[in-house]
């Protein structure tokens, strides 16, 4: 399928959600239970909790549906986890907002790669406005794959380090 979405998504409290049919957002602590990464919690079927650097405002997000793992590219932070859809439709949501995009996920399980750049700059700026757009950016790559443990592929920023070491899963 390739590129599904490439636009701005509203974040508040430094969070985004990938949700499939049925589940509600739930408790982020439950979504990180048993995981090593602190940026992408997927421990319950149908939900993925995604951490951003920017606290509040519109952040750039790209969503890709692929057939195989993508190259790492120039991302500063990269984590992977298993995403198990509930039903065939999923959506990307900002905090307490309507879906930014809805799309089909027909496979039973996916590998979700969450990549980020400039999380520290987003954290420092805190608020993204029209006059001061978010400096951080994100990409969600999904491809059919059997379940496997989550992993941290690249870790460079202090903000990501905080979430990996002291976030919801700690």
């Amino acid at each position: 399928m390739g590129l599904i979405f490439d636009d701005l998504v509203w974040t508040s409290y430094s969070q985004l959600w990938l949700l499939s049919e049925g589940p509600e957002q739930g408790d982020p602590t439950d979504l990180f239970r048993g995981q090593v990464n602190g940026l992408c919690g997927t421990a319950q079927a149908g939900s993925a909790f995604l951490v951003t650097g920017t606290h509040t405002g519109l952040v750039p997000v790209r969503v890709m549906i692929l057939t195989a793992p993508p190259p790492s590219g120039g991302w500063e932070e990269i984590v992977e986890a298993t995403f198990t859809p509930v039903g065939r439709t999923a959506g990307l949501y900002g905090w307490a907002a309507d879906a930014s995009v809805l799309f089909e996920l027909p496979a039973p399980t996916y590998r979700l790669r969450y990549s980020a750049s400039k999380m520290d700059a987003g954290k420092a700026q805190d608020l993204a406005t029209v006059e001061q757009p978010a400096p951080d950016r994100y990409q969600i790559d999904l491809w059919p794959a059997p379940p496997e443990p989550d992993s941290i592929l690249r870790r460079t920023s202090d903000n990501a380090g905080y979430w990996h070491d002291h976030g919801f899963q700690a």
Side-chain angles (χ1 to χ4, degrees), residues 125-168:
Q125 183 173 312
D126 195 48
L127 177 65
T129 65
V130 173
E131 296 79 24
Q132 280 194 302
D136 45 337
R137 64 187 177 93
Y138 303 89
Q139 183 161 315
I140 300 165
D141 296 304
L142 293 150
W143 64 95
E148 63 180 279
D150 73 304
S151 60
I152 301 169
L153 302 179
R154 187 170 296 146
R155 171 186 171 155
T156 65
S157 71
D158 290 339
N159 191 21
Y162 166 81
W163 287 105
H164 292 316
D165 296 341
H166 308 290
F168 294 106

Side-chain angles (χ1 to χ4, degrees), residues 6 17 34 42 51 53 59 63 67-68 70 83 85 105 108 126 128 136 141-143 146 153 157 159:
D6 189 4
W17 291 86
T42 63
V51 176
V59 294
V63 178
T67 57
F83 182 75
L105 289 178
D126 195 48
D136 45 337
D141 296 304
L142 293 150
W143 64 95
L153 302 179
S157 71
N159 191 21

Side-chain angles (χ1 to χ4, degrees), residues 28-46:
T29 304
D30 294 336
L31 294 172
F32 284 97
R33 194 169 316 283
Q35 292 192 187
V36 297
N37 95 83
L39 298 181
C40 176
T42 63
Q44 292 182 338

Side-chain angles (χ1 to χ4, degrees), residues 1-2 10 50 61 72 111 113 119 126 133 138 150 153 163:
M1 290 179 75
W10 179 260
L50 307 164
V61 179
S72 296
R111 194 67 176 165
R113 179 178 291 173
M119 286 188 77
D126 195 48
Y138 303 89
D150 73 304
L153 302 179
W163 287 105

Side-chain angles (χ1 to χ4, degrees), residues 8-87:
L8 300 173
V9 179
W10 179 260
T11 186
S12 192
Y13 299 99
S14 299
Q15 57 187 279
L16 302 171
W17 291 86
L18 178 66
L19 301 170
S20 65
E21 297 173 22
E24 295 181 11
Q25 289 179 337
D27 183 345
T29 304
D30 294 336
L31 294 172
F32 284 97
R33 194 169 316 283
Q35 292 192 187
V36 297
N37 95 83
L39 298 181
C40 176
T42 63
Q44 292 182 338
S47 295
F49 181 90
L50 307 164
V51 176
T52 66
T54 294
H55 183 278
T56 304
L58 293 167
V59 294
V61 179
R62 176 181 289 169
V63 178
M64 304 280 293
I65 306 293
L66 307 169
T67 57
S72 296
W75 296 99
E76 296 169 359
E77 314 301 330
I78 304 173
V79 299
E80 286 185 1
T82 296
F83 182 75
T84 305
V86 176

Side-chain angles (χ1 to χ4, degrees), residues 88-126:
R88 294 177 54 97
T89 304
L92 176 63
Y93 296 81
W95 185 80
D98 293 330
S100 295
V101 62
L102 295 173
F103 49 91
E104 293 291 313
L105 289 178
T109 58
Y110 288 82
R111 194 67 176 165
L112 187 162
R113 179 178 291 173
Y114 184 52
S115 303
S117 285
K118 301 192 178 192
M119 286 188 77
D120 285 345
K123 174 76 174 163
Q125 183 173 312
D126 195 48

